[in-house]
Amino acid sequence: MKIRTLIAAPCAAAAFSMAGPIYAHDSEPQTVTKNFEAAIPNIPGKSLIAVEVDYAPGAATPSHTHAKSAFIYAYVISGAIESKVNDWETRIYRPGESWSEPPGAIHSISRNASETEPAKLLAVFVLDTNDNPLTTPIK
């Protein structure tokens, strides 16, 4: 399985493109799946996109940024997610816990905190309809 990168397209339509795998320590990749997408009717030019991120045991995402206009709400569905955004403290979030990321944030740590159990989170993006890609690795 390979990670799929979500790219916003005109008219708030989205397409997935294969961006190469992000491997966990045991060589299983992390996967990202679109859960929902819609234009926000009372905020012209804005859209909401939700993605589920499944982390295999030990999986980590390279440091990254998101679309420049994106405000992000992240909610842990299962497992434990270790996260660091900007210069905030590194923290482990458990099911039912959440955090947000402001536009332009740098996400330097995003990984499954467990080497033995999978983890899953829901990430909800509110962003300019044509702002893409959703995620860009920092090189």
Side-chain angles (χ1 to χ4, degrees):
M1 298 176 83
K2 294 189 177 192
I3 184 170
R4 291 172 261 167
T5 302
L6 183 64
I7 301 173
C11 302
F16 285 101
S17 76
M18 300 311 283
I22 294 179
Y23 291 102
H25 295 146
D26 60 0
S27 298
E28 291 183 27
Q30 163 212 8
T31 59
V32 178
T33 307
K34 183 173 70 169
N35 177 287
F36 178 83
E37 179 177 10
I40 301 174
N42 61 337
I43 309 175
K46 295 287 186 182
S47 291
L48 185 142
I49 299 172
V51 297
E52 291 181 15
V53 183
D54 288 290
Y55 292 88
T61 303
S63 295
H64 59 276
T65 60
H66 293 288
K68 297 219 182 292
S69 66
F71 172 79
I72 300 153
Y73 167 75
Y75 177 85
V76 178
I77 297 169
S78 63
I81 304 292
E82 185 173 11
S83 180
K84 179 174 176 64
V85 177
N86 293 333
D87 60 354
W88 307 343
E89 72 178 74
T90 301
R91 187 162 164 215
I92 294 176
Y93 296 89
R94 306 212 181 272
E97 296 182 319
S98 61
W99 70 94
S100 65
E101 299 180 30
I106 294 174
H107 204 155
S108 58
I109 298 173
S110 180
R111 66 176 157 237
N112 185 340
S114 172
E115 295 289 329
T116 59
E117 299 295 324
K120 181 184 236 177
L121 70 83
L122 176 70
V124 179
F125 293 71
V126 176
L127 70 164
D128 293 344
T129 298
N130 294 317
D131 196 356
N132 61 72
L134 280 184
T135 302
T136 303
I138 297 173
K139 297 179 184 186

